[in-house]
Amino acid sequence: MKIQTAIAHFDEPLYLESGRILETYELKYEMYGEMNETKSNVIVVFHALTGSYHAAGRYEGETKAGWWDPLIGDGKIIDTTHFCVICVNILGSCFGSTGPMSVNVKTKEPLRLKFPVLTISDMVRAQMNLFARLGIKEAYAIIGGSLGGMQGLCMSIEYPEFAKRVILLATTYATGPWAIAWNKIAIEGIVNDPRFKNGNYNPEDFEEEGLLSFAIGRMAGHISFLSPYSMNKKFGRNYVETDGLYELFGRFQVERYMEYNGYSFAKRFDPLSYLYIIKAMNIFDATRNYDSLEDSIKHIKAKLTLISFQGDCLFMPEEMALIKTTLENMGRSDRVDYVCIDSQYGHDAFLVEYDKFDFYIKKALESKV
Ligand SMILES: CC(=O)SCCNC(=O)CCNC(=O)[C@H](O)C(C)(C)COP(=O)(O)OP(=O)(O)OC[C@H]1O[C@@H](n2cnc3c(N)ncnc32)[C@H](O)[C@@H]1OP(=O)(O)O
Ligand SMILES: N[C@@H](CCO)C(=O)O
């Protein structure tokens, strides 16, 4: 599989939904496979909260492949011998695109809290500018899970001509209080950690040890990505063999797991980026500029494939089912396929239980629209 990684620099300002302006910005992206002559074989894949442009393949020396590698590649469900897949690191993130720690060209200092609040719509508009620059007028399909699904939904409403097939997984049309509440734990953790210094930290200080209360906030987030069932299946009541049962800080395996995933995450992800991205997630509401959900999704021209997961307790299946029933009530049932996957893994099932849902992606990609 041919992999190309690049950074696109934009000197034209990006006018944000908030009224603020990003004077210049950069987007880092990766492409798998090759575009055909007419550029009609492009599939856009959007990443979720902490993902990056690196959706597939494995670089030399890398321990793990890209985050959707089981699905993207030569001969895989998203077959790169036929399609050219593009994944762009979202604005606000910390993997090469412009974000809060990017340097202000005038002051030569990181923007930090001066970085503007972004919306999903802003992230999508920036990506549309990239696609225009690459000469991609229309995508064969767009696909995304979680925050990536929000981008896909937003794109299908705001740029209805861009893609004829839109596949959304484990997402919602508006972030609910349950998800916002989980994110609040991370916000409080980050801003109240003395090492955060109101955003004036030196990122190098976190290489050895990340912000401790960011790690704790992420542990909470991590619980919301799983489910009681998957925790039980993974760990049961197993205890760490080398820890004593009567030691106060002796740990169950699930505790060791939370420690590992919380602390390692806080070392590798920028806390300001996390704040900006969860802000964009929290304020995502596809109905905000419309009278109702119906008024918003009536703009969609694509065929939607909605894939929810039974055990997802972050973005509940009912939330995606409502998009389906709303379209049906509008007499547009031919434009939507909805499936609720029999899965108890939790929200992150879209990153794990590929064999349970890859068939629906295949079907959507093969559909004549
Ligand atoms: C969506 C995007 O766009 S990409 C973002 C995806 N990445 C993330 O969410 C980052 C966090 N990662 C994860 O949550 C998971 O690795 C997933 C969801 C990607 C995959 O889930 P699973 O395959 O079920 O992995 P699992 O939850 O078992 O293991 C996660 C880590 O915990 C470790 N672990 C498992 N059990 C234990 C334990 N008892 N004690 C300590 N560590 C443990 C694993 O070794 C693994 O470590 P690694 O990430 O260094 O390889
Ligand atoms: N666990 C994934 C998906 C969350 O929606 C992440 O952290 O990006």
Side-chain angles (χ1 to χ4, degrees), residues 47-51 145-148 170 218 221-222 224-225 265 268-269 274 281 314-315 347-348 350-351:
H47 70 74
L49 175 59
T50 63
S146 193
L147 190 97
R218 177 66 178 184
H222 206 104
S224 78
F225 303 146
F265 181 78
R268 71 179 163 82
F269 205 87
Y274 205 74
M281 177 189 276
L314 191 62
F315 301 131
H347 175 69
D348 273 351
F350 77 100
L351 295 167

PDB file of all heavy atoms in Angstrom, residues 47-51 145-148 170 218 221-222 224-225 265 268-269 274 281 314-315 347-348 350-351, ligand 2:
ATOM      1  N   HIS A  47     -10.952  11.089  11.902  1.00  0.00           N
ATOM      2  CA  HIS A  47     -10.576  10.444  13.167  1.00  0.00           C
ATOM      3  C   HIS A  47     -11.378  11.003  14.344  1.00  0.00           C
ATOM      4  O   HIS A  47     -12.013  12.047  14.262  1.00  0.00           O
ATOM      5  CB  HIS A  47      -9.066  10.540  13.412  1.00  0.00           C
ATOM      6  CG  HIS A  47      -8.531  11.910  13.739  1.00  0.00           C
ATOM      7  ND1 HIS A  47      -8.723  12.497  14.953  1.00  0.00           N
ATOM      8  CD2 HIS A  47      -7.780  12.774  13.005  1.00  0.00           C
ATOM      9  CE1 HIS A  47      -8.110  13.672  14.975  1.00  0.00           C
ATOM     10  NE2 HIS A  47      -7.547  13.873  13.789  1.00  0.00           N
ATOM     11  N   ALA A  48     -11.293  10.271  15.449  1.00  0.00           N
ATOM     12  CA  ALA A  48     -12.047  10.642  16.654  1.00  0.00           C
ATOM     13  C   ALA A  48     -11.199  11.548  17.557  1.00  0.00           C
ATOM     14  O   ALA A  48     -10.169  12.081  17.143  1.00  0.00           O
ATOM     15  CB  ALA A  48     -12.484   9.376  17.373  1.00  0.00           C
ATOM     16  N   LEU A  49     -11.646  11.672  18.785  1.00  0.00           N
ATOM     17  CA  LEU A  49     -11.058  12.595  19.764  1.00  0.00           C
ATOM     18  C   LEU A  49      -9.526  12.636  19.787  1.00  0.00           C
ATOM     19  O   LEU A  49      -8.923  13.697  19.626  1.00  0.00           O
ATOM     20  CB  LEU A  49     -11.614  12.181  21.143  1.00  0.00           C
ATOM     21  CG  LEU A  49     -11.130  12.843  22.406  1.00  0.00           C
ATOM     22  CD1 LEU A  49     -11.384  14.333  22.368  1.00  0.00           C
ATOM     23  CD2 LEU A  49     -11.854  12.242  23.618  1.00  0.00           C
ATOM     24  N   THR A  50      -8.902  11.489  19.999  1.00  0.00           N
ATOM     25  CA  THR A  50      -7.449  11.512  20.189  1.00  0.00           C
ATOM     26  C   THR A  50      -6.697  10.818  19.059  1.00  0.00           C
ATOM     27  O   THR A  50      -5.515  10.506  19.196  1.00  0.00           O
ATOM     28  CB  THR A  50      -7.060  10.837  21.525  1.00  0.00           C
ATOM     29  OG1 THR A  50      -7.446   9.458  21.465  1.00  0.00           O
ATOM     30  CG2 THR A  50      -7.743  11.515  22.694  1.00  0.00           C
ATOM     31  N   GLY A  51      -7.388  10.594  17.966  1.00  0.00           N
ATOM     32  CA  GLY A  51      -6.745   9.959  16.827  1.00  0.00           C
ATOM     33  C   GLY A  51      -5.850  10.945  16.095  1.00  0.00           C
ATOM     34  O   GLY A  51      -5.721  12.115  16.477  1.00  0.00           O
ATOM     35  N   GLY A 145     -16.075   7.704  12.930  1.00  0.00           N
ATOM     36  CA  GLY A 145     -16.662   7.226  14.176  1.00  0.00           C
ATOM     37  C   GLY A 145     -16.506   8.262  15.268  1.00  0.00           C
ATOM     38  O   GLY A 145     -15.521   9.014  15.294  1.00  0.00           O
ATOM     39  N   SER A 146     -17.493   8.334  16.158  1.00  0.00           N
ATOM     40  CA  SER A 146     -17.443   9.225  17.316  1.00  0.00           C
ATOM     41  C   SER A 146     -17.300  10.687  16.862  1.00  0.00           C
ATOM     42  O   SER A 146     -18.120  11.173  16.087  1.00  0.00           O
ATOM     43  CB  SER A 146     -16.305   8.781  18.253  1.00  0.00           C
ATOM     44  OG  SER A 146     -16.425   9.420  19.481  1.00  0.00           O
ATOM     45  N   LEU A 147     -16.230  11.382  17.288  1.00  0.00           N
ATOM     46  CA  LEU A 147     -16.044  12.763  16.817  1.00  0.00           C
ATOM     47  C   LEU A 147     -15.865  12.790  15.300  1.00  0.00           C
ATOM     48  O   LEU A 147     -16.230  13.755  14.634  1.00  0.00           O
ATOM     49  CB  LEU A 147     -14.821  13.384  17.502  1.00  0.00           C
ATOM     50  CG  LEU A 147     -14.648  14.888  17.304  1.00  0.00           C
ATOM     51  CD1 LEU A 147     -15.210  15.657  18.497  1.00  0.00           C
ATOM     52  CD2 LEU A 147     -13.171  15.254  17.163  1.00  0.00           C
ATOM     53  N   GLY A 148     -15.345  11.692  14.749  1.00  0.00           N
ATOM     54  CA  GLY A 148     -15.230  11.565  13.294  1.00  0.00           C
ATOM     55  C   GLY A 148     -16.603  11.477  12.642  1.00  0.00           C
ATOM     56  O   GLY A 148     -16.819  11.977  11.540  1.00  0.00           O
ATOM     57  N   ALA A 170     -21.008   5.061  15.870  1.00  0.00           N
ATOM     58  CA  ALA A 170     -20.880   5.412  17.298  1.00  0.00           C
ATOM     59  C   ALA A 170     -20.864   6.918  17.531  1.00  0.00           C
ATOM     60  O   ALA A 170     -19.984   7.446  18.210  1.00  0.00           O
ATOM     61  CB  ALA A 170     -19.604   4.770  17.864  1.00  0.00           C
ATOM     62  N   ARG A 218      -8.573  11.425  32.154  1.00  0.00           N
ATOM     63  CA  ARG A 218      -8.614  10.481  31.034  1.00  0.00           C
ATOM     64  C   ARG A 218      -9.076   9.098  31.513  1.00  0.00           C
ATOM     65  O   ARG A 218      -9.736   8.376  30.783  1.00  0.00           O
ATOM     66  CB  ARG A 218      -7.239  10.398  30.375  1.00  0.00           C
ATOM     67  CG  ARG A 218      -7.139   9.388  29.251  1.00  0.00           C
ATOM     68  CD  ARG A 218      -8.003   9.746  28.043  1.00  0.00           C
ATOM     69  NE  ARG A 218      -7.828   8.759  26.967  1.00  0.00           N
ATOM     70  CZ  ARG A 218      -8.384   8.828  25.773  1.00  0.00           C
ATOM     71  NH1 ARG A 218      -9.178   9.832  25.465  1.00  0.00           N
ATOM     72  NH2 ARG A 218      -8.180   7.902  24.855  1.00  0.00           N
ATOM     73  N   GLY A 221     -12.641   9.273  31.296  1.00  0.00           N
ATOM     74  CA  GLY A 221     -13.026   9.167  29.884  1.00  0.00           C
ATOM     75  C   GLY A 221     -12.931   7.725  29.411  1.00  0.00           C
ATOM     76  O   GLY A 221     -13.820   7.218  28.725  1.00  0.00           O
ATOM     77  N   HIS A 222     -11.864   7.076  29.815  1.00  0.00           N
ATOM     78  CA  HIS A 222     -11.643   5.703  29.359  1.00  0.00           C
ATOM     79  C   HIS A 222     -12.774   4.781  29.822  1.00  0.00           C
ATOM     80  O   HIS A 222     -13.198   3.888  29.085  1.00  0.00           O
ATOM     81  CB  HIS A 222     -10.286   5.197  29.861  1.00  0.00           C
ATOM     82  CG  HIS A 222      -9.707   4.130  29.011  1.00  0.00           C
ATOM     83  ND1 HIS A 222      -8.674   4.335  28.127  1.00  0.00           N
ATOM     84  CD2 HIS A 222     -10.049   2.823  28.879  1.00  0.00           C
ATOM     85  CE1 HIS A 222      -8.407   3.203  27.497  1.00  0.00           C
ATOM     86  NE2 HIS A 222      -9.222   2.268  27.935  1.00  0.00           N
ATOM     87  N   SER A 224     -15.801   5.638  30.122  1.00  0.00           N
ATOM     88  CA  SER A 224     -16.952   5.913  29.245  1.00  0.00           C
ATOM     89  C   SER A 224     -16.783   5.289  27.857  1.00  0.00           C
ATOM     90  O   SER A 224     -17.751   5.164  27.115  1.00  0.00           O
ATOM     91  CB  SER A 224     -17.183   7.426  29.125  1.00  0.00           C
ATOM     92  OG  SER A 224     -16.244   8.014  28.231  1.00  0.00           O
ATOM     93  N   PHE A 225     -15.550   4.925  27.483  1.00  0.00           N
ATOM     94  CA  PHE A 225     -15.325   4.303  26.170  1.00  0.00           C
ATOM     95  C   PHE A 225     -15.565   2.790  26.226  1.00  0.00           C
ATOM     96  O   PHE A 225     -15.612   2.120  25.214  1.00  0.00           O
ATOM     97  CB  PHE A 225     -13.892   4.539  25.673  1.00  0.00           C
ATOM     98  CG  PHE A 225     -13.503   5.994  25.573  1.00  0.00           C
ATOM     99  CD1 PHE A 225     -12.204   6.409  25.834  1.00  0.00           C
ATOM    100  CD2 PHE A 225     -14.434   6.948  25.206  1.00  0.00           C
ATOM    101  CE1 PHE A 225     -11.846   7.742  25.742  1.00  0.00           C
ATOM    102  CE2 PHE A 225     -14.073   8.300  25.110  1.00  0.00           C
ATOM    103  CZ  PHE A 225     -12.782   8.692  25.383  1.00  0.00           C
ATOM    104  N   PHE A 265      -1.382   8.064  28.599  1.00  0.00           N
ATOM    105  CA  PHE A 265      -2.054   9.027  27.722  1.00  0.00           C
ATOM    106  C   PHE A 265      -1.616  10.458  28.042  1.00  0.00           C
ATOM    107  O   PHE A 265      -1.349  11.266  27.144  1.00  0.00           O
ATOM    108  CB  PHE A 265      -3.580   8.894  27.877  1.00  0.00           C
ATOM    109  CG  PHE A 265      -4.325   9.839  26.992  1.00  0.00           C
ATOM    110  CD1 PHE A 265      -4.483   9.581  25.647  1.00  0.00           C
ATOM    111  CD2 PHE A 265      -4.846  11.025  27.507  1.00  0.00           C
ATOM    112  CE1 PHE A 265      -5.139  10.478  24.812  1.00  0.00           C
ATOM    113  CE2 PHE A 265      -5.508  11.924  26.685  1.00  0.00           C
ATOM    114  CZ  PHE A 265      -5.650  11.645  25.342  1.00  0.00           C
ATOM    115  N   ARG A 268       1.451  11.500  26.321  1.00  0.00           N
ATOM    116  CA  ARG A 268       1.549  11.580  24.856  1.00  0.00           C
ATOM    117  C   ARG A 268       0.549  12.537  24.217  1.00  0.00           C
ATOM    118  O   ARG A 268       0.626  12.800  23.022  1.00  0.00           O
ATOM    119  CB  ARG A 268       1.463  10.188  24.222  1.00  0.00           C
ATOM    120  CG  ARG A 268       0.097   9.550  24.296  1.00  0.00           C
ATOM    121  CD  ARG A 268       0.091   8.174  23.632  1.00  0.00           C
ATOM    122  NE  ARG A 268      -1.072   7.420  24.039  1.00  0.00           N
ATOM    123  CZ  ARG A 268      -2.272   7.553  23.507  1.00  0.00           C
ATOM    124  NH1 ARG A 268      -2.465   8.400  22.525  1.00  0.00           N
ATOM    125  NH2 ARG A 268      -3.277   6.828  23.962  1.00  0.00           N
ATOM    126  N   PHE A 269      -0.397  13.070  24.979  1.00  0.00           N
ATOM    127  CA  PHE A 269      -1.397  13.959  24.356  1.00  0.00           C
ATOM    128  C   PHE A 269      -1.338  15.324  25.029  1.00  0.00           C
ATOM    129  O   PHE A 269      -1.264  15.422  26.255  1.00  0.00           O
ATOM    130  CB  PHE A 269      -2.805  13.367  24.484  1.00  0.00           C
ATOM    131  CG  PHE A 269      -3.735  13.868  23.421  1.00  0.00           C
ATOM    132  CD1 PHE A 269      -3.817  13.228  22.188  1.00  0.00           C
ATOM    133  CD2 PHE A 269      -4.503  15.012  23.616  1.00  0.00           C
ATOM    134  CE1 PHE A 269      -4.654  13.703  21.184  1.00  0.00           C
ATOM    135  CE2 PHE A 269      -5.341  15.486  22.612  1.00  0.00           C
ATOM    136  CZ  PHE A 269      -5.417  14.827  21.404  1.00  0.00           C
ATOM    137  N   TYR A 274      -6.505  18.694  24.178  1.00  0.00           N
ATOM    138  CA  TYR A 274      -7.634  17.914  24.721  1.00  0.00           C
ATOM    139  C   TYR A 274      -8.773  18.849  25.108  1.00  0.00           C
ATOM    140  O   TYR A 274      -9.942  18.609  24.778  1.00  0.00           O
ATOM    141  CB  TYR A 274      -7.179  17.104  25.937  1.00  0.00           C
ATOM    142  CG  TYR A 274      -8.016  15.865  26.193  1.00  0.00           C
ATOM    143  CD1 TYR A 274      -7.901  14.746  25.378  1.00  0.00           C
ATOM    144  CD2 TYR A 274      -8.905  15.802  27.254  1.00  0.00           C
ATOM    145  CE1 TYR A 274      -8.655  13.595  25.615  1.00  0.00           C
ATOM    146  CE2 TYR A 274      -9.671  14.656  27.504  1.00  0.00           C
ATOM    147  CZ  TYR A 274      -9.527  13.559  26.674  1.00  0.00           C
ATOM    148  OH  TYR A 274     -10.276  12.415  26.901  1.00  0.00           O
ATOM    149  N   MET A 281     -16.379  19.015  20.808  1.00  0.00           N
ATOM    150  CA  MET A 281     -17.310  17.889  20.922  1.00  0.00           C
ATOM    151  C   MET A 281     -18.553  18.305  21.725  1.00  0.00           C
ATOM    152  O   MET A 281     -19.687  18.060  21.329  1.00  0.00           O
ATOM    153  CB  MET A 281     -16.617  16.709  21.616  1.00  0.00           C
ATOM    154  CG  MET A 281     -17.541  15.522  21.839  1.00  0.00           C
ATOM    155  SD  MET A 281     -16.785  14.257  22.872  1.00  0.00           S
ATOM    156  CE  MET A 281     -15.834  13.337  21.683  1.00  0.00           C
ATOM    157  N   LEU A 314     -21.806   6.034  25.683  1.00  0.00           N
ATOM    158  CA  LEU A 314     -21.405   7.436  25.547  1.00  0.00           C
ATOM    159  C   LEU A 314     -22.354   8.134  24.572  1.00  0.00           C
ATOM    160  O   LEU A 314     -22.982   9.139  24.890  1.00  0.00           O
ATOM    161  CB  LEU A 314     -19.956   7.524  25.052  1.00  0.00           C
ATOM    162  CG  LEU A 314     -19.336   8.907  25.107  1.00  0.00           C
ATOM    163  CD1 LEU A 314     -19.258   9.423  26.545  1.00  0.00           C
ATOM    164  CD2 LEU A 314     -17.938   8.907  24.495  1.00  0.00           C
ATOM    165  N   PHE A 315     -22.427   7.566  23.358  1.00  0.00           N
ATOM    166  CA  PHE A 315     -23.407   8.046  22.381  1.00  0.00           C
ATOM    167  C   PHE A 315     -24.371   6.878  22.135  1.00  0.00           C
ATOM    168  O   PHE A 315     -24.092   5.981  21.338  1.00  0.00           O
ATOM    169  CB  PHE A 315     -22.726   8.503  21.091  1.00  0.00           C
ATOM    170  CG  PHE A 315     -21.731   9.614  21.325  1.00  0.00           C
ATOM    171  CD1 PHE A 315     -20.455   9.554  20.808  1.00  0.00           C
ATOM    172  CD2 PHE A 315     -22.076  10.728  22.095  1.00  0.00           C
ATOM    173  CE1 PHE A 315     -19.530  10.573  21.038  1.00  0.00           C
ATOM    174  CE2 PHE A 315     -21.162  11.753  22.337  1.00  0.00           C
ATOM    175  CZ  PHE A 315     -19.886  11.665  21.813  1.00  0.00           C
ATOM    176  N   HIS A 347     -18.421   2.090  23.771  1.00  0.00           N
ATOM    177  CA  HIS A 347     -18.261   3.084  22.703  1.00  0.00           C
ATOM    178  C   HIS A 347     -17.113   2.731  21.746  1.00  0.00           C
ATOM    179  O   HIS A 347     -17.238   2.875  20.530  1.00  0.00           O
ATOM    180  CB  HIS A 347     -18.018   4.447  23.357  1.00  0.00           C
ATOM    181  CG  HIS A 347     -17.719   5.529  22.389  1.00  0.00           C
ATOM    182  ND1 HIS A 347     -18.662   6.020  21.519  1.00  0.00           N
ATOM    183  CD2 HIS A 347     -16.570   6.215  22.124  1.00  0.00           C
ATOM    184  CE1 HIS A 347     -18.118   6.968  20.775  1.00  0.00           C
ATOM    185  NE2 HIS A 347     -16.857   7.100  21.110  1.00  0.00           N
ATOM    186  N   ASP A 348     -15.990   2.307  22.296  1.00  0.00           N
ATOM    187  CA  ASP A 348     -14.816   2.040  21.453  1.00  0.00           C
ATOM    188  C   ASP A 348     -14.942   0.784  20.592  1.00  0.00           C
ATOM    189  O   ASP A 348     -13.972   0.416  19.910  1.00  0.00           O
ATOM    190  CB  ASP A 348     -13.546   1.950  22.312  1.00  0.00           C
ATOM    191  CG  ASP A 348     -12.894   3.322  22.532  1.00  0.00           C
ATOM    192  OD1 ASP A 348     -13.331   4.287  21.891  1.00  0.00           O
ATOM    193  OD2 ASP A 348     -11.952   3.411  23.346  1.00  0.00           O
ATOM    194  N   PHE A 350     -16.102   0.553  17.836  1.00  0.00           N
ATOM    195  CA  PHE A 350     -15.785   0.887  16.437  1.00  0.00           C
ATOM    196  C   PHE A 350     -14.282   0.853  16.171  1.00  0.00           C
ATOM    197  O   PHE A 350     -13.845   0.930  15.020  1.00  0.00           O
ATOM    198  CB  PHE A 350     -16.391   2.249  16.028  1.00  0.00           C
ATOM    199  CG  PHE A 350     -15.643   3.458  16.531  1.00  0.00           C
ATOM    200  CD1 PHE A 350     -14.768   4.147  15.700  1.00  0.00           C
ATOM    201  CD2 PHE A 350     -15.827   3.916  17.822  1.00  0.00           C
ATOM    202  CE1 PHE A 350     -14.080   5.260  16.151  1.00  0.00           C
ATOM    203  CE2 PHE A 350     -15.125   5.028  18.300  1.00  0.00           C
ATOM    204  CZ  PHE A 350     -14.255   5.704  17.458  1.00  0.00           C
ATOM    205  N   LEU A 351     -13.484   0.727  17.239  1.00  0.00           N
ATOM    206  CA  LEU A 351     -12.024   0.621  17.088  1.00  0.00           C
ATOM    207  C   LEU A 351     -11.525  -0.794  17.363  1.00  0.00           C
ATOM    208  O   LEU A 351     -10.331  -1.051  17.348  1.00  0.00           O
ATOM    209  CB  LEU A 351     -11.336   1.563  18.086  1.00  0.00           C
ATOM    210  CG  LEU A 351     -11.569   3.054  17.887  1.00  0.00           C
ATOM    211  CD1 LEU A 351     -11.119   3.840  19.112  1.00  0.00           C
ATOM    212  CD2 LEU A 351     -10.838   3.540  16.649  1.00  0.00           C
TER     213      LEU A 351
HETATM  214  N1  LIG B   2     -11.188   6.276  22.500  1.00  0.00           N
HETATM  215  C1  LIG B   2     -11.201   7.063  21.308  1.00  0.00           C
HETATM  216  C2  LIG B   2     -12.558   7.360  20.815  1.00  0.00           C
HETATM  217  C3  LIG B   2     -13.315   8.307  21.706  1.00  0.00           C
HETATM  218  O1  LIG B   2     -14.425   8.749  21.039  1.00  0.00           O
HETATM  219  C4  LIG B   2     -10.371   8.302  21.478  1.00  0.00           C
HETATM  220  O2  LIG B   2      -9.927   8.588  22.582  1.00  0.00           O
HETATM  221  O3  LIG B   2     -10.145   8.988  20.485  1.00  0.00           O
END
